[in-house]
Amino acid sequence: MHIVLDDTAMAAAGQGNVLASRLIHRAHAESGWFLYAPACALVEADRARPGTAEHLASLPGITVLELDLAAALAVARQETWAAAHCQHAAQPTPDRPDGAIIATTAPRRWAGKWGVRRVLVRAKEMPVAVSA
C-alpha cells in the first residue's frame, strides 16, 4: 500500500489525528505499507502548523520526496505547489505500477483530478473511505 500525505493530512497528523497516526504507524510497523511526504506539501503543512515538517521528517515510516526535475516540471503547470507535488507523487511509476493513494482532509481538492485515488483522514473518528 503506497500512500502520499497531502499538506492537510500532514497538518492533521501534527495535531494528533488518530487516522493519520494509524497510517504512520502502519508504514513504520508493517511490511508492504509505504508513506510519502512530498517536500512541497511539507512546506505548506509547516506553514499551517509550525513544527509539522520537522516532526514528520524525523519519523522512520515516512519517506520525504524531494522536488526532482520531473516533479518541478509538474509543479510549474499547477496552481499550488503542494497539490501538484502530491499529485505527481501519486502517479504510477516502475516501483508503484498502480500509483499511490493520497491521504487528505480536503477530498474536494482532489475531486475530478485524473488518476487520483484518495483516502479521507477526518477530524472525527470515522471509517476510512477510499475513492477514485
Side-chain angles (χ1 to χ4, degrees):
M1 177 73 61
H2 296 274
I3 300 174
V4 174
L5 294 173
D6 78 355
D7 56 307
T8 67
M10 290 182 205
Q15 294 172 330
N17 179 285
V18 175
L19 294 175
S21 295
R22 285 180 190 162
L23 290 174
I24 293 167
H25 172 74
R26 283 192 166 188
H28 174 66
E30 296 183 27
S31 65
W33 280 78
F34 303 94
L35 201 56
Y36 305 97
C40 293
L42 258 179
V43 170
E44 288 303 315
D46 202 68
R47 287 180 178 165
R49 187 170 188 286
T52 299
E54 186 175 350
H55 174 69
L56 290 176
S58 71
L59 297 174
I62 296 179
T63 301
V64 175
L65 300 176
E66 296 178 1
L67 188 64
D68 61 10
L69 178 59
L73 294 173
V75 164
R77 292 185 211 112
Q78 301 293 327
E79 286 184 34
T80 69
W81 287 34
H85 200 182
C86 289
Q87 185 173 359
H88 173 75
Q91 297 305 309
T93 65
D95 294 340
R96 299 184 312 269
D98 294 327
I101 296 169
I102 297 177
T104 186
T105 64
R108 287 190 177 140
R109 171 191 288 179
W110 302 106
K113 299 285 186 188
W114 181 85
V116 172
R117 296 177 298 153
R118 62 195 185 275
V119 61
L120 180 59
V121 178
R122 294 187 177 181
K124 296 181 181 179
E125 299 316 309
M126 299 194 170
V128 176
V130 176
S131 60

